[in-house]
Amino acid sequence: MATAPPLRALPLFLLLLSAAFSFHVAAAHGVRSGGHGLGVNYGRVADDIPSPRRSVELLRAAGAGSVKIYDANPGVLRALAGTRWPVSIMVPNEIIPDMAASPAAADRWVAKNLVPYYPATRVKFLLVGNEILSDYSIANSTWPRLVPAMENIHLSLRKRGISSVKVGTTLAMDALADGAFPRPPSAAAFRADIADAVVRPLLHFLNGTNSYYFVDAYPYFVWAGNNLTVPLDYALFQGGGHTRYVDPVTGLTYTNLLDEMLDAVTIAMAKLGYGRVKLAVAETGWPNGCDYDQIGGNVHNAAIYNRNLAARMANNPGTPLRPGAKMPVFVFSLYNEDLKGGPGTERHWGLYYANGTAVYPIDLTGRRPLWSYPPLPAPENNTPYKGPIWCVLSAAAGEKLNETAVGNALTYACGQGNGTCDAIQPGKKCYLPNTTVAHASYAFNSYWQQFRKIGATCYFNNLAEQTIKDPSHGSCKFRGSLDS
């Protein structure tokens, strides 16, 4: 990688040092997150999770310091009343254009979704949309209306004399030109399609209202995509002195991956003239499970990441660029959410299973010594699985068979591919046994093997699962992931 010319590197270095110094001074004068432990994202895309009141008990048991939800659910907000936790609520992406077009619409939303619960429920952040700059299908309809919607929400709050609620929005790391892993961090910059059109006005708003830039930062995905070059210990806050990275422009030394990612965002903001805007981590964490064709999603790594994150933020907050600066940090998520689509990691981020039992012990306050936790199960998938994989009807779906749901999924699989279900037609090799269960497994696998390289997942509305046991039987052969 070519070294930046000295005359260009020096102004950037001075700019970053200035931002770091000013932020460090601000931190020393009381810039703090509201609670005593990490915040938790309370998502509810799952079957049969505990009630909001029971969820509050589980949050308390884990040592949560704040709570973030993805809507403004009345039952959840009522359950959080009196807890004194700072609470973050969210405006749905789809109504952002209406909010931007009409101050009255924004005020009606505030009147319905915030006012009845505030201040008994201590709403601290009102987040307008979730990762909207990652969704290119709404680039024309919603991106340019994000900041106007935030301004109208802020106007409504001011009109009502509510000054303690900060307005923001959550953005993924793909708002940066090089995504989640710009290395060195000093090279980070916002994408050209949004830098001036959306991000600069957003930063101007956040700076003027003393609010935060909320970023979803997941070292897991960076490590999983670069596991041959990025050490796992570095991603899990276990690098210490033997695993580190030095930015060749700033000279800053990094001992973990999250710090790199967060400083990259700060540097990108500085390049737009807003290096002093405060940073908050809207989502971070590590999956406690994953599919066979994924890597490193297990209980061991999830516990290590979140325990180390809690200890780090309690004892040594900030980043190399902003040492000592405390920031709101929210772990994802409270529960494993089984109704989320996509690959297996999407359904395995929880501190708790859906039945309310802990996936692993954790103290989100960071006060519990790491050595005091009981032993964790050994990780078994920190390197890629090299054997064949199949996609079949899940055991749970087979035991509690919903003929309609499985039939619809089977019809979808058969209707998408090129000869996907030929083998289960009458008289063909896989027609027998002529059951919904057997035909669904064949169809799911046939579809997945045909399309997995272009993003298809073994999910089918929570009816399918991956297996490493060959489901072939008799003359009926199921194609495996290693077959050409």
Side-chain angles (χ1 to χ4, degrees), residues 187-434:
F190 287 103
R191 295 184 342 234
D193 61 327
I194 59 174
D196 288 321
V198 183
V199 179
R200 194 187 298 274
L202 170 64
L203 294 175
H204 180 76
F205 171 84
L206 298 175
N207 187 64
T209 59
N210 196 31
S211 190
Y212 293 75
Y213 182 105
F214 279 83
V215 61
D216 294 347
Y218 287 100
Y220 167 75
F221 291 115
V222 176
W223 169 77
N226 302 273
N227 60 86
L228 297 180
T229 56
V230 177
L232 178 59
D233 283 351
Y234 187 71
L236 294 175
F237 299 96
Q238 293 184 309
H242 65 278
T243 305
R244 56 181 60 209
Y245 174 77
V246 179
D247 189 306
V249 175
T250 64
L252 295 172
T253 298
Y254 293 90
T255 59
N256 68 82
L257 188 52
L258 181 64
D259 281 354
E260 272 198 68
M261 297 169 70
L262 298 182
D263 276 359
V265 174
T266 300
I267 287 165
M269 293 194 296
K271 289 178 180 177
L272 290 181
Y274 292 95
R276 299 183 183 185
V277 170
K278 296 176 293 187
L279 198 62
V281 182
E283 293 181 10
T284 192
W286 197 280
N288 58 60
C290 63
D291 290 331
Y292 285 106
D293 59 352
Q294 296 182 292
I295 182 175
N298 55 64
V299 170
H300 183 279
N301 292 347
I304 294 298
Y305 181 87
N306 284 331
R307 290 171 184 174
N308 283 336
L309 175 67
R312 168 64 186 274
M313 293 303 170
N315 301 316
N316 184 26
T319 66
L321 187 58
R322 292 178 169 180
K326 296 189 177 184
M327 68 190 94
V329 177
F330 295 86
V331 170
F332 189 86
S333 59
L334 183 58
Y335 298 113
N336 280 352
E337 297 177 83
D338 66 312
L339 296 183
K340 298 191 75 173
T345 49
E346 288 296 306
R347 295 175 287 283
H348 292 92
W349 294 89
L351 302 177
Y352 294 94
Y353 296 108
N355 63 8
T357 60
V359 177
Y360 48 84
I362 191 167
D363 173 18
L364 294 175
T365 68
R367 297 183 183 127
R368 180 171 179 175
L370 297 177
W371 56 260
S372 70
Y373 286 104
L376 290 164
E380 297 180 348
N381 58 359
N382 285 347
T383 56
Y385 177 73
K386 300 185 183 302
I389 305 168
W390 295 267
C391 176
V392 297
L393 184 72
S394 71
E399 290 172 5
K400 297 181 179 180
L401 187 63
N402 182 326
E403 289 276 0
T404 300
V406 175
N408 288 340
L410 197 160
T411 299
Y412 174 84
C414 293
Q416 299 301 310
N418 179 18
T420 302
C421 295
D422 285 357
I424 56 175
Q425 301 308 309
K428 300 294 185 177
K429 290 184 178 180
C430 297
Y431 178 68
L432 298 176
N434 181 20

Side-chain angles (χ1 to χ4, degrees), residues 114-205:
L114 171 65
V115 172
Y117 313 103
Y118 178 88
T121 299
R122 190 184 165 201
V123 177
K124 176 66 175 177
F125 297 111
L126 202 168
L127 302 173
V128 182
N130 188 44
E131 297 187 350
I132 74 163
L133 299 183
S134 302
D135 185 353
Y136 287 82
S137 71
I138 59 172
N140 294 327
S141 65
T142 308
W143 292 5
R145 294 169 178 80
L146 172 62
V147 176
M150 296 171 69
E151 291 171 338
N152 283 343
I153 289 283
H154 179 67
L155 181 65
S156 172
L157 294 173
R158 289 187 61 184
K159 184 178 73 173
R160 295 173 179 278
I162 301 174
S163 60
S164 62
V165 177
K166 298 297 182 183
V167 178
T169 189
T170 68
L171 299 178
M173 288 293 295
D174 64 5
L176 301 184
D178 292 321
F181 194 36
R183 183 173 265 192
S186 57
F190 287 103
R191 295 184 342 234
D193 61 327
I194 59 174
D196 288 321
V198 183
V199 179
R200 194 187 298 274
L202 170 64
L203 294 175
H204 180 76
F205 171 84

